[in-house]
Amino acid sequence: MTPAQFTALHAQLGPAKALPPVPPAGTNVPPALYQAYRATANYVSPDGRTVLYNTGLKAGDPGTTSAMNAVPALRAVTTKVGHSIGASDSALGGEAPALYDISSISNSDLKRIIPIAILAIGILLALVLRSLVAPLYLIASVGISYLAALGLSVLIFIKIGHSGGLVFFMPFLMFIFLLALGEDYNILMMTRIREEAQRYRLRDAVTRALSATGSTITSAGLVLAGTFIVLTVVAGSGSGGEQVRDIGLGLALGILMDTFLVRTLLVPSTVVLLGRWNWWPSRMSRADAQITEAEPVPTPASALDQAAGTTAAADEEPRQPDPLH
């Protein structure tokens, strides 16, 4: 059926969707041509001006990364064909184009949200720690943890597991989650280091702070990472299991790296190397405010020991003779 035949049939018979299965009485259209025109009801709009072309993708399943990456070229070809036939507009629809659009929006949102989130967290850290230097490397440590976890996910799932790619919103989700979690651990540890640094040398303060907060941070990280691993195992076999697997294991890897490498090694080492500049421009950054030797604060137990020693010494003193005797 040529375009001219379709135009004539549309003018004669009206919208194809409204036609009965058999030609009405008095219709002089051949039965084969009538059925061909009637079959266009699912592909041509009632006004006869919009045509839908149903095609298959050589790239494979529309839900795969390869199909999503083919969308820009398909849109370019569709636009070119539309111009060549005089169409007023053209568009590409389906699962792959929808995923491509969502992925593009997600990446665009990530570019806008990252600076806002970093600025907000930086202001919070500066207020809590009363420092302009510490927030810089604390935020940088979270960025390193995020990029390392994302890179490790790519190595495991794409290079080793031969997956077509990671789910498109995984980078966005990992960044927001690891930023919030990492800075939460940072605040817990750095506030304790600052507190200890007011009574001990910085190296001793870091050691004491790690001893006090290490078990809490490690336990919290293990519990949270284990939760995501369980989620991966339970939901990974169902519908959309590959996406759940990527997200669950990616977040678990990021949490474990943040817990055992960044919080335990990277941040404490940076604190010791920077010394008093950690607290600039607060009073603790001044040279005269630094403690050069450890100044242990008497604990309640030592105070009791001193009191007991004083009592024992008093008991050992010879008693004075009674004046009456």
Side-chain angles (χ1 to χ4, degrees), residues 115-132 134-136 139 183 187:
I116 297 174
I118 288 176
L119 180 62
I121 295 296
I123 293 174
L124 177 62
L125 288 172
L127 293 175
V128 172
L129 301 176
R130 284 170 265 178
S131 169
L132 296 178
L136 298 179
I139 292 176
E183 297 306 346
I187 291 175

Side-chain angles (χ1 to χ4, degrees), residues 161-180:
H162 303 290
S163 174
L166 301 176
V167 58
F168 58 86
F169 55 86
M170 182 175 173
F172 176 82
L173 188 62
M174 284 184 64
F175 174 78
I176 295 299
F177 198 94
L178 293 179
L179 177 67

Side-chain angles (χ1 to χ4, degrees), residues 1 4 10 14 16 20 41 92 100 110 127 168 173 175 197 200 205 218-219 230 254-255 296 301 307:
M1 184 169 50
H10 186 274
L92 198 66
Y100 177 83
L110 185 62
L127 293 175
F168 58 86
L173 188 62
F175 174 78
Y200 300 92
T218 302
S219 301
V230 170
I255 293 168

